[in-house]
Amino acid sequence: MQLQVECNDRVGKQQVCRTCDRVFKMQAAKVIICDDQGENCGAVCPTCIGRGYGWLSSQFEQLTTPQKKSVTAVLTPVTGIDRALTHTKSA
């Protein structure tokens, strides 16, 4: 994760925070967060910056790490399945 501070030409404009999705007003300087490849970038609000580097790093990792999809199966008992399987095997 990288943090970058830049001068901002959009002072007072609305921006969505990359880490918390809240809308905030841009200040004279902006903090941009991005991954080590310089991708997945976005502005960070003053509230998130105030939570510190460790918190920001943890949040950003959660946002940029692909989530494993979980598969949920629901098993429903089927009446007569034992007889159907037995019949199929003996045929």
Side-chain angles (χ1 to χ4, degrees), residues 9-85:
D9 58 353
R10 299 184 57 204
V11 177
K13 302 276 181 167
Q14 302 276 328
Q15 178 71 39
V16 176
C17 178
R18 176 72 171 98
T19 55
C20 72
D21 290 329
R22 281 181 264 164
V23 176
F24 68 99
K25 283 189 179 183
M26 299 293 284
Q27 305 291 321
K30 62 182 172 182
V31 175
I32 297 175
I33 192 170
C34 55
D35 62 20
D36 293 332
Q37 291 75 39
E39 300 172 358
N40 295 314
C41 297
V44 181
C45 73
T47 303
C48 288
I49 294 167
R51 292 183 174 173
Y53 183 84
W55 184 87
L56 271 174
S57 180
S58 174
Q59 284 296 111
F60 190 71
E61 185 176 329
Q62 288 177 15
L63 291 171
T64 58
T65 303
Q67 300 295 316
K68 293 181 182 176
K69 293 182 180 180
S70 62
V71 177
T72 305
V74 177
L75 300 177
T76 306
V78 178
T79 306
I81 192 72
D82 292 336
R83 283 178 281 163
L85 290 175

Side-chain angles (χ1 to χ4, degrees), residues 80-91:
I81 192 72
D82 292 336
R83 283 178 281 163
L85 290 175
T86 305
H87 181 69
T88 304
K89 286 181 185 176
S90 61

